[in-house]
Amino acid sequence: MSKQIVFHIGGWSSCGFYNKAYNVLASLSVLFPSRLRVVNHVYGSRDEYRSWLLGEDETDGFRDTFLGISKANKQTSSPFSWIEDSGSNNFVGGCDDTLDWCKSFVSPSASDAGKEKSKMKPDDFSEGHGYDYDLVVIGGGSGGLAASKEAAKFGAKVAVLDFVKPSPAGSTWGLGGTCVNVGCIPKKLMHNAALIGEILTNDVQPYGFNAPEQTEGHQWEKMRESVQNHIRGLNFNYRVTLREKNVTYLNKLGKFINPHTLEVTDKKGKVSQLTASRFVVATGGRPTTLDCEGGEHAITSDDIFSLEQSPGKTLCVGASYISLECAGFLAGLGLDTTVAVRSILLRGFDREIADKIGAHMEDHGVKFKNGVVPSKLKKASDGKITVTFSDGSSDVYDTVLTAIGRRADTEKLGVDAVGVKTNPKNGKIICTDEQTSVNNIYAIGDVMEGCPELTPVAIQAGKMLARRLFDGSDEPMDYQNICTTVFTPLEYGVVGLSEEDAKQVIGCGSKIEVYHSNFTPLEWSLSEHRQKHPAFCKVIVCKEDDKVLGMHYLGPHAGEVTQGFGVAMKKGMTYNELTNTVGIHPTSAETFTDLTVTKSSGESADSKGC
Ligand code: FAD
Ligand code: NDP
C-alpha cells in the first residue's frame, strides 16, 4: 500500500541522455502504474529547455526553486529530474542519477525504492561557522543522548545540556532523562517486583515449592533502594559514555536568546552563554498536575519511584499507560489501590483488549471509580488525604498519584521568542522531519508534536537526525507501525491498528478479517488462579490484499513477544506469511502462527490445546 511516486523529468526532445532516462522511466510507469507516475517536461530545443531551467541570465529559471541544494543549483544539462512529495520537490539529478534511481526502484534487494526522502531545508551549516559548537543538544534524556553521541561519531563538535528541575514535590534525579530515572526503568522493575509477588503467592505450589507469606511482608524500602541504586549506576554510565564519545556534558539549564545562542544557568545560579550552528531540542515532557482545590497534595510519576516509604492506600488518577501500570504494580505489592477513570481505559487502544485489561485488573485487586475526577483534595495533619470526587463521593488515601498526561517541557526554553512554532495546547514543537520553523533548530522525542511518547522512538529519531545533519543521509524517521507494550499485570503488546481504527482506515468492517485466540500459556497451566483470565492473541487482516493491519497480544512477556513481529509488520507481512511461519513450541508467541478462528465465523476463540 505504498504511496504513488510522482517523478518529474525535464529535457529537450533530441537530447540522447534525456531520451534514455525518460524511456526507462516511462516503461516503469507502465509496469508499475500504482507505484509510479511520470510527469514529462519536454522542450522542442536546447534553448527552450535552458530558458525554462535557467531563466534569463541563469537567475530566475525553474532550477531556482531548489535554492540551497548545491547539486541542483549546479545542474545545467538535460535531463533534470525531481520527485514531487507533499507539495515539495526533491531533486534527483541528471541521466545517470535517474537511471540509478530506476534501478533501485525495481531492485528487490533495495526495497527502499519509493521510500520517502527527508524534506529538511538547508540550515546554512558550514565548516567554518565560528560558533562554539557544531551542535548543542538541550536535554540529556533518551533522544538527546542518542543524538549527541551519533553526531559526535561523525566528527561533529557536540555538547549536551541536561538539567533536572525539581518536581513540585521536590524530587530530582541524575543524567539520562525520564526513562531511566522516573519512567520505563523504575516502572518495569517495580512491575517485575509485583510479578514476582504473584508467582510467589499463586504459582509456586503446584511446582513443588512452599508459598512464603510474601505480600504482607513486602518491603518497599528495600525495593526502592535496589531500584534507585540501579538507576544511579546507569546515571554514572551515561556520563562515562559521553566522555568516551567526545561529547561535552554540561549540567546546565538552557534557554534560547537567539537562534544561535543559549543562555545557560548552572546549579549555583551562575549564568553564561554558548553558541552553536545547530541545536536539537530534546527536553521531553513533565507530568500534568491536578487542577483542582488541593491538587498540590498529589504526587506524580516524577515522585512515586523514589518515595522513602510505601505509598500505602493509593488513588491513581487517570486511566492510561502510567496510571494503570502504577496501579497494577501497587496492587501487586499488596497495597489498597483505586483508579479514578474520567471516561474510558486506555483511550486509543483496541477496545476489546482494554476491557480485558480492566476486568483482569479488577480481579487482581484494583478498584475502579468510573466516570469521576477528583474535585477537591484535603490533607490532614497525619498526612492522610481526603479526596472528594465529581460525583460527590469521597474517600481517604495515604497517597494520590496523578497520571493525567504530560506537557512538553518548553515553557521557559525561549523557543517561541526565537520563532519556533509550538502547539499552545501542549507546548509541543511543530516539526517537519524533526526540523522546526527555524531551520537550524531541530526537535526530537516527547517534545515534538505528533511523536509517540516512547523511549525507542526518541532514540531512533535522534540517531537518524544526527545522520542527516552530519553524515549526508536523507532518510527520514519512520513513525509507522511502532510496537509498544503496556506493562499492566496482564501485559499488552501491540503493533499496528486497533480493530476500531482498522475499520475506519479500510472503510468498513466487512473488508477486514479478525483472527483471534484465547489460550493458556503453558507456564500458567498448573495454576488454578490463572484460568479465569486467559492470554489472548488477535490479528487484523485486510481482506483485499491479505496484509496484516494490527497484531495484539495479551499475556506474559508481551514486549518480548511483540518486538520481532514489529519487524515483520514493517516489511508488510501478510496473514499467509504469518501462518506459513513455523512456530516455536511450546511458547505463547507461536499462537500467532496458528490463528485460524475468525471473529466473523462466530466460532469460539478458545484454544483446543497443542
Ligand atoms: P526525556 O527523557 O524526558 O529527557 C529530557 C531531558 O531534558 C530531561 O533530563 C530534562 O531534565 C532535560 N531538560 C528539560 N529542559 C531542559 C533545559 N531547558 N535545559 C537542559 N535540560 C533540560 N517509554 C517506553 O518506551 N517504554 C516504557 O515502558 C515507558 N514507561 C514510562 C513510564 C513512565 C512513568 C513515564 C513517565 C514514561 C514512560 N515512557 C516509556 C516514556 C519515555 O520515558 C519517554 O518517551 C522518553 O523518556 C522521552 O525521551 P526524551 O529524550 O524525549 O525526553
Ligand atoms: P495519556 O495522555 O496517555 O493519558 C492520560 C489519561 O489521563 C487518560 O486516561 C485521560 O482520560 C486522563 N485524564 C486527562 N486529563 C484528566 C483530568 N483532568 N482528570 C482526570 N483524568 C484525566 O497519559 P499518561 O500520563 O498515561 O502517559 C503519557 C505517555 O507516556 C503515554 O502516551 C505513553 O506514550 C508514555 N508511556 C509509555 C509507557 C510504555 O511504553 N509502557 C508507560 C507509561 C507512559 P481521557 O481518556 O478521558 O482523556
Side-chain angles (χ1 to χ4, degrees), residues 167-168 173 285-289 300-302 322 402-407:
S167 74
W173 48 89
R286 295 299 287 264
T288 309
T289 48
T300 67
S301 55
D302 281 356
I322 297 181
T402 305
I404 56 172
R406 296 169 63 79
R407 212 187 137 77

Side-chain angles (χ1 to χ4, degrees), residues 187 319-322 325 342-343 347 373 403-405 453-454 485:
K187 181 277 306 290
S320 199
Y321 274 96
I322 297 181
E325 289 184 343
R342 179 169 75 172
S343 56
R347 179 179 299 287
V373 294
I404 56 172
E453 292 176 10
L454 297 169
T485 289

Side-chain angles (χ1 to χ4, degrees), residues 341-416:
V341 184
R342 179 169 75 172
S343 56
I344 53 169
L345 300 190
L346 292 168
R347 179 179 299 287
F349 287 92
D350 191 276
R351 295 317 318 146
E352 184 182 15
I353 305 269
D355 291 345
K356 284 178 187 284
I357 289 175
H360 176 265
M361 285 183 77
E362 215 157 353
D363 275 349
H364 195 76
V366 177
K367 291 174 233 165
F368 287 95
K369 269 184 89 66
N370 290 309
V372 297
V373 294
S375 50
K376 186 177 167 188
L377 272 60
K378 194 161 180 253
K379 195 167 188 172
S381 53
D382 62 359
K384 297 215 183 283
I385 304 167
T386 302
V387 180
T388 309
F389 294 95
S390 49
D391 63 356
S393 63
S394 67
D395 204 347
V396 180
Y397 301 92
D398 297 309
T399 303
V400 178
L401 172 74
T402 305
I404 56 172
R406 296 169 63 79
R407 212 187 137 77
D409 197 354
T410 50
E411 206 183 336
K412 296 189 176 147
L413 192 59
V415 277
D416 296 300

Side-chain angles (χ1 to χ4, degrees), residues 134-344:
D134 294 326
L135 174 71
V136 166
V137 179
I138 312 166
S142 314
L145 290 178
S148 57
K149 286 184 285 185
E150 191 75 1
K153 201 166 102 183
F154 301 120
K157 187 180 177 197
V158 186
V160 60
L161 299 182
D162 192 61
F163 191 93
V164 179
K165 287 161 279 186
S167 74
S171 310
T172 57
W173 48 89
L175 177 63
T178 303
C179 166
V180 175
N181 296 286
V182 288
C184 329
I185 300 297
K187 181 277 306 290
K188 178 93 188 275
L189 289 171
M190 293 196 179
H191 166 71
N192 197 42
L195 293 186
I196 291 170
E198 188 175 7
I199 290 170
L200 288 174
T201 322
N202 296 310
D203 293 334
V204 294
Q205 276 174 321
Y207 285 94
F209 293 98
N210 293 326
E213 297 286 313
Q214 85 304 325
T215 43
E216 289 81 1
H218 177 260
Q219 298 165 38
W220 174 275
E221 294 78 2
K222 175 69 201 158
M223 176 186 71
R224 176 206 179 269
E225 188 193 347
S226 317
V227 169
Q228 292 299 323
N229 282 344
H230 178 69
I231 292 172
R232 272 190 285 276
L234 294 175
N235 296 146
F236 178 75
N237 279 343
Y238 286 129
R239 279 167 172 258
V240 172
T241 315
L242 286 178
R243 207 175 313 132
E244 282 170 2
K245 307 259 174 186
N246 290 323
V247 175
T248 305
Y249 162 55
L250 302 167
N251 183 203
K252 293 179 180 180
L253 185 72
K255 182 185 171 188
F256 281 98
I257 296 179
N258 65 49
H260 287 285
T261 312
L262 283 187
E263 178 186 277
V264 295
T265 309
D266 71 11
K267 265 201 256 181
K268 293 180 181 149
K270 193 172 159 234
V271 180
S272 56
Q273 289 191 358
L274 59 82
T275 62
S277 182
R278 290 166 162 162
F279 289 93
V280 172
V281 179
T283 53
R286 295 299 287 264
T288 309
T289 48
L290 204 53
D291 184 20
C292 71
E293 190 183 333
E296 69 277 7
H297 300 309
I299 60 163
T300 67
S301 55
D302 281 356
D303 312 298
I304 183 84
F305 306 110
S306 57
L307 285 183
E308 298 281 351
Q309 284 167 359
S310 164
K313 181 180 172 184
T314 304
L315 173 72
C316 298
V317 185
S320 199
Y321 274 96
I322 297 181
S323 182
L324 294 189
E325 289 184 343
C326 291
F329 76 69
L330 293 174
L333 298 176
L335 301 177
D336 182 336
T337 310
T338 303
V339 176
V341 184
R342 179 169 75 172
S343 56
I344 53 169

Side-chain angles (χ1 to χ4, degrees), residues 359-360 362-364 490 520 524 527-535:
H360 176 265
E362 215 157 353
D363 275 349
H364 195 76
L490 189 55
T520 302
W524 288 2
S527 308
E528 190 73 25
H529 89 288
R530 300 276 190 181
Q531 306 306 315
K532 189 168 172 198
H533 296 279

